[in-house]
Amino acid sequence: MQYEAGNYDVIVIGAGHAGAEAGLAAARQGAKTLVLTINLDMVAFMPCNPSIGGPAKGIVVREIDALGGEMGKNIDKTYIQMRMLNTGKGPAVRALRAQADKFAYQHEMKKTLENEPNLTLVQGMVESLIIEDDTCKGVITKTGAMYYSKTVIITTGTFLRGEIILGELKYSSGPNNQQPSIKLSEHLEELGFELVRFKTGTPPRVNGNTIDYSKTEIQPGDENPRAFSYETTKYITDQLPCWLTYTNEFTHQIIDANLHRSPMYSGMIKATGARYCPSIEDKVVRFNDKPRHQIFLEPEGRNTEEVYVQGLSTSLPEDIQHQLIRTVPGLEQAQMMRPGYAIEYDAIVPNQLWPTLETKKIKNLYTAGQINGTSGYEEAAGQGLMAGINAGRRALGKDELILSRSDAYIGVLIDDLVTKGTNEPYRLLTSRAEYRLLLRHDNADMRLTEIGHKIGLISEERYQKFLAKKEKIEAERERLQSTIIKPKKEVQELIKSLGGSELKDGIKASDLLKRPEMSYAHIAQIIPSEVELDDEVIEQVEIQIKYEGYIEKSLQQVERLKKMENKKIPIDIDYEAINGLATEARQKLKTVHPLSIAQASRISGVNPADISILLVYLEQGKIARVSNE
C-alpha cells in the first residue's frame, strides 16, 4: 500500500561516504533534504580498509574540506593515527593518510547528519523512482512510502544487486552481510540505463590479542600534529601504531596449490575488479618473481581487538584463509574473526552522466560514488559533495558547479568518468592529473575556498581567516622578492655549511631561497620577518618561490586549456551532419555529448584530425541550421 510520505527539495538514496556528503552539501545550501538509508547503523560505514587519505586521495579530502564538506573534519575527530606520506619527495605527491577508528568515524558522521537543521535522516530501502516526462520527481520505498522532491541523488555504493563470494559460496548480500538493493537495480535497467558488473574485495580480520607483534615492524604516526581540515585546531596525540610484516614462500605455496578453489580463477567471479587493489592470489600469480608481499596490520578502532590485515585481500575459501594467515610472521597463532570476501555489484556506465553528475537520460536525477564505477571512500565523498552541491542548486534555481581538471583532483575524477568512462573500478592516482603540481595537498584552500564561500558552504568567519592567510603569503613573497641579501661573513658561512656556493654579489632573498640547499628557515635566520607567520603560510611561501618556474609553466598550459574549454559545443549538435569525422569519433561524440572542445579532445577514439574538423564546423556557424532541421 503506497502513501505520500513528504515533500523535499533533494532526496539522497544511501548514506555511505557519498550519500553523507551529498546530503550535508544540499542541506547546508538551504535545500530541504531527505537522506534514506537501508540501515541507520551503517551511515558512513567503512566495509573495507579503516583509513582515509593516501596518494591523490588525501588531496581529495583536503579539497572536500576547502569546499565546505565534512570528511576531513570527521576523520580529524576520530583518527587513531596520522601520517604524511612521501615527505622526501616533491610537494605534488605529498599526501596525508589517517588510520580511522571506523566505529567512531561512522558514529560521528551519523551524529553530524542527525544534527543538520535542513536534513532528515530516515531508514528505508528505495525500490523505484517516480518518473514523469523523463524527469525524476521522487522515490518509492519498499514499505510504499512515496517521497516527492525536485532532485534525487543515488549513492548506493556496492549494494546494487550485491553478491558476496567466499570460496565456493556465493550469496546475495551488500557489504558486511547487509541487505542488498535488488529492485532499484532492476528499475534502473527498465529506465534504460546501461549497467556494468564490478568487483571489490576485503581481507580477513584477526584478533589483536593473538598477534605476536615482536615479529613485526612498528609503524608509528607522525609526532608533528597534522590535520585534513583547515578548521581543525585540536589534535589527537595518543596515536596507535600499525605494524608491518610480509608473506613468504609458504604463503605463496598454499595459494598456488589452491588456485582451483579461488573464485577468481575457477570462473565463479565474472565481474571486473580494481587493478590497483589486487587480491593476494592475484598478486602471487601476476608477480610470481617476488618472494614476498607487504602486509600491514591495522587496528580497526580503540574499543575493539579486530585488526585489518591490509594486503591480504582474498576470496579464497575460509579453511584456506586460516592456513594463509598462519604462514605470516607474527600471525602464526592469530585467530581469524572475519574471513575476507569478494563482492560483485552493479554500477552505472558513467558516460551516461553530465559533468554535473546529473544523468543524461533522466532530468533532475544524479548519481555519485561507487555506483559511478569508482573505488575508494574519498572518490565517493568527492562525487557526493559535487552531486549534493549541484542537486541542491538545481532545486533552489541556481547555476550548477563544474570543477575543471586544473581546479581540483575532484575535477579530474569526474571529467575522467564522464568523458572517458571506465572498464574497471576507477581509482584516483597522481599520474591521472596533468596539472598535479598545481593540485597539491598544501594549497587546496587557495584553489577552492573562494568557490566554497561563493556557493554558501564556507562561513564568512572562515573566509575572512582565509583572506588574511592569503594576504600574509603575498606580503612575505613580496618582501623576499624585494630584499637583497649581501655577501656578509655570516651569510657566506651559513651557505658554506649547507654545501652551497658562496655569493659573489648581492642576491634577492627569493632567488637565494630557490637554491636546493636553502629553506625558508635558513632565509629567516638572515632576514627575520617582523610579522609572526604560521607554518602553513611559510610552507606556501617556500613552495611558491622554489617551484615558481614549474608552476608558471603549468599555469600557461591551463590558460591554453581554458581557451578550448571556452569553445562550447551545443548539446543538440548533429554529429551525423559533420562530414569528415571518423566513424569511431562520431560514435564516441554522440555517446559522451561533450560540452566543450577541450572535453571532446579527451575522449578516447577522438583524434586531433576529428577535433580540427569539429572546430572548423563550429567556426563556420552551421550549428543553428543543423539544430533546426
Side-chain angles (χ1 to χ4, degrees):
M1 189 75 179
Q2 292 182 350
Y3 70 98
E4 291 193 15
N7 280 277
Y8 295 86
D9 292 319
V10 179
I11 292 175
V12 181
I13 304 170
H17 303 281
E21 293 291 350
L24 290 169
R28 288 169 176 172
Q29 290 179 106
K32 185 184 177 187
T33 303
L34 171 68
V35 177
L36 288 161
T37 178
I38 291 174
N39 185 348
L40 280 174
D41 298 327
M42 297 290 284
V43 171
F45 184 70
M46 295 179 170
C48 201
N49 54 315
S51 68
I52 296 290
K57 294 167 175 278
I59 301 173
V60 169
V61 182
R62 291 279 272 186
E63 293 174 350
I64 290 167
D65 183 73
L67 286 165
E70 196 63 29
M71 179 174 262
K73 295 184 187 72
N74 206 65
I75 187 62
D76 284 353
K77 288 187 273 187
T78 57
Y79 68 85
I80 58 179
Q81 185 191 105
M82 189 79 80
R83 292 182 77 180
M84 181 65 81
L85 308 180
N86 300 328
T87 51
K89 297 180 181 178
V93 293
R94 287 174 205 157
L96 200 56
R97 183 182 188 272
Q99 202 61 37
D101 184 322
K102 67 186 290 182
F103 306 104
Y105 184 93
Q106 67 178 114
H107 294 153
E108 187 64 32
M109 189 65 89
K110 180 169 182 272
K111 186 169 77 174
T112 301
L113 265 67
E114 289 169 341
N115 291 323
E116 187 60 43
N118 271 341
L119 191 150
T120 303
L121 182 63
V122 172
Q123 183 165 294
M125 182 184 284
V126 173
E127 293 196 331
S128 61
L129 306 171
I130 300 168
I131 308 292
E132 295 174 14
D133 299 323
D134 294 328
T135 301
C136 191
K137 299 290 182 73
V139 304
I140 304 172
T141 69
K142 189 174 187 176
T143 56
M146 300 173 70
Y147 295 97
Y148 290 90
S149 65
K150 295 173 183 173
T151 56
V152 171
I153 310 169
I154 305 177
T155 68
T156 45
T158 60
F159 280 80
L160 285 184
R161 270 198 295 232
E163 288 184 303
I164 281 180
I165 302 158
L166 177 54
E168 294 90 358
L169 177 66
K170 186 173 188 176
Y171 58 94
S172 180
S173 175
N176 209 46
N177 287 325
Q178 293 297 304
Q179 280 188 80
S181 176
I182 295 170
K183 292 248 177 114
L184 181 58
S185 195
E186 292 170 351
H187 180 63
L188 290 172
E189 281 186 323
E190 288 165 6
L191 290 172
F193 286 102
E194 184 186 353
L195 305 182
V196 287
R197 199 82 173 144
F198 280 168
K199 173 196 83 81
T200 188
T202 189
R205 275 68 158 180
V206 298
N207 189 320
N209 291 325
T210 62
I211 296 173
D212 182 355
Y213 290 109
S214 68
K215 295 182 178 178
T216 67
E217 302 169 33
I218 192 167
Q219 305 286 299
D222 289 349
E223 289 183 14
N224 295 335
R226 307 212 185 252
F228 277 102
S229 175
Y230 288 93
E231 292 190 273
T232 296
T233 53
K234 292 181 180 177
Y235 301 91
I236 295 168
T237 53
D238 57 331
Q239 299 187 64
L240 301 183
C242 297
W243 308 83
L244 173 63
T245 184
Y246 297 89
T247 63
N248 51 53
E249 60 179 306
F250 302 110
T251 323
H252 300 182
Q253 284 171 7
I254 291 171
I255 291 168
D256 286 334
N258 289 280
L259 281 177
H260 64 285
R261 296 186 65 193
S262 165
M264 280 189 63
Y265 293 92
S266 68
M268 184 179 282
I269 289 178
K270 294 181 171 62
T272 307
R275 178 192 313 234
Y276 301 102
C277 191
S279 66
I280 187 62
E281 51 265 43
D282 202 18
K283 282 191 275 190
V284 168
V285 171
R286 283 164 55 190
F287 309 108
N288 58 13
D289 57 320
K290 289 188 179 292
R292 64 180 193 172
H293 295 282
Q294 286 185 330
I295 301 292
F296 288 96
L297 304 175
E298 303 175 342
E300 295 227 315
R302 294 182 186 277
N303 300 309
T304 177
E305 290 304 324
E306 277 192 81
V307 173
Y308 183 88
V309 188
Q310 172 79 278
L312 207 69
S313 182
T314 183
S315 56
L316 281 163
E318 194 171 317
D319 58 314
I320 304 303
Q321 292 190 38
H322 281 290
Q323 294 177 42
L324 278 186
I325 286 170
R326 289 175 182 157
T327 64
V328 177
L331 302 183
E332 293 90 346
Q333 304 300 320
Q335 175 198 339
M336 186 168 75
M337 297 178 74
R338 304 183 199 226
Y341 62 84
I343 182 167
E344 290 186 347
Y345 57 94
D346 285 348
I348 278 183
V349 175
N351 59 21
Q352 297 171 100
L353 308 173
W354 296 115
T356 58
L357 296 181
E358 182 184 18
T359 67
K360 295 171 182 173
K361 193 172 288 292
I362 305 292
K363 192 178 179 185
N364 295 343
L365 176 65
Y366 298 74
T367 60
Q370 283 188 264
I371 187 176
N372 289 345
T374 58
S375 66
Y377 311 140
E378 303 84 357
E379 288 93 334
Q383 291 173 73
L385 176 69
M386 296 309 297
I389 288 170
N390 286 326
R393 291 180 74 78
R394 171 69 64 79
L396 297 170
K398 298 178 180 178
D399 290 340
E400 291 165 297
L401 174 67
I402 297 172
L403 295 178
S404 75
R405 296 180 72 89
S406 57
D407 286 330
Y409 269 97
I410 296 172
V412 173
L413 161 67
I414 293 174
D415 183 68
D416 277 354
L417 289 174
V418 304
T419 304
K420 301 174 183 176
T422 184
N423 52 18
E424 62 184 53
Y426 177 102
R427 178 179 179 172
L428 258 180
L429 307 164
T430 53
S431 59
R432 295 192 192 273
E434 58 271 50
Y435 306 114
R436 56 186 170 275
L437 187 56
L438 302 179
L439 310 181
R440 306 185 307 273
H441 165 91
D442 62 85
N443 73 347
D445 60 338
M446 296 290 135
R447 294 184 275 121
L448 300 170
T449 304
E450 196 89 41
I451 297 171
H453 178 253
K454 188 178 177 182
I455 61 176
L457 294 183
I458 295 291
S459 69
E460 187 60 32
E461 181 187 2
R462 177 171 173 181
Y463 184 59
Q464 290 304 321
K465 285 181 181 175
F466 161 73
L467 290 179
K469 174 184 173 181
K470 203 172 175 184
E471 281 177 24
K472 284 183 179 179
I473 293 165
E474 285 306 311
E476 185 61 4
R477 277 193 66 179
E478 285 176 20
R479 184 180 81 92
L480 297 184
Q481 285 164 349
S482 60
T483 303
I484 302 296
I485 294 177
K486 294 178 180 176
K488 295 178 181 176
K489 184 183 176 185
E490 59 269 27
V491 174
Q492 302 287 43
E493 285 178 353
L494 174 61
I495 293 171
K496 197 174 176 182
S497 71
L498 297 169
S501 55
E502 294 183 0
L503 299 180
K504 293 176 182 175
D505 206 344
I507 186 174
K508 285 183 183 178
S510 55
D511 288 340
L512 185 58
L513 179 53
K514 287 178 182 177
R515 289 188 175 191
E517 72 274 8
M518 300 298 293
S519 69
Y520 179 87
H522 297 132
I523 300 295
Q525 284 180 44
I526 305 166
I527 50 161
S529 171
E530 293 177 5
V531 181
E532 190 175 342
L533 302 174
D534 62 35
D535 290 343
E536 283 193 354
V537 170
I538 290 168
E539 181 182 41
Q540 279 303 297
V541 170
E542 186 162 358
I543 289 172
Q544 287 181 22
I545 288 176
K546 274 189 173 292
Y547 293 88
E548 188 176 32
Y550 298 105
I551 291 170
E552 187 57 39
K553 195 174 179 181
S554 292
L555 289 171
Q556 288 171 4
Q557 291 174 335
V558 169
E559 283 307 309
R560 286 196 291 272
L561 176 73
K562 278 182 180 173
K563 289 177 184 175
M564 293 178 71
E565 293 286 5
N566 290 334
K567 292 187 190 300
K568 300 298 182 186
I569 302 174
I571 291 173
D572 55 358
I573 189 170
D574 184 0
Y575 290 108
E576 293 295 338
I578 304 176
N579 294 324
L581 281 180
T583 303
E584 183 184 6
R586 189 176 279 117
Q587 290 170 347
K588 294 288 182 69
L589 288 164
K590 285 166 66 178
T591 300
V592 175
H593 286 292
L595 300 179
S596 69
I597 287 293
Q599 188 186 359
S601 70
R602 293 190 291 269
I603 299 172
S604 174
V606 177
N607 61 44
D610 300 311
I611 295 298
S612 297
I613 292 166
L614 191 54
L615 275 168
V616 170
Y617 181 81
L618 292 171
E619 285 164 9
Q620 287 177 349
K622 294 182 180 177
I623 288 84
R625 289 195 293 274
V626 173
S627 302
N628 293 332
E629 282 177 5

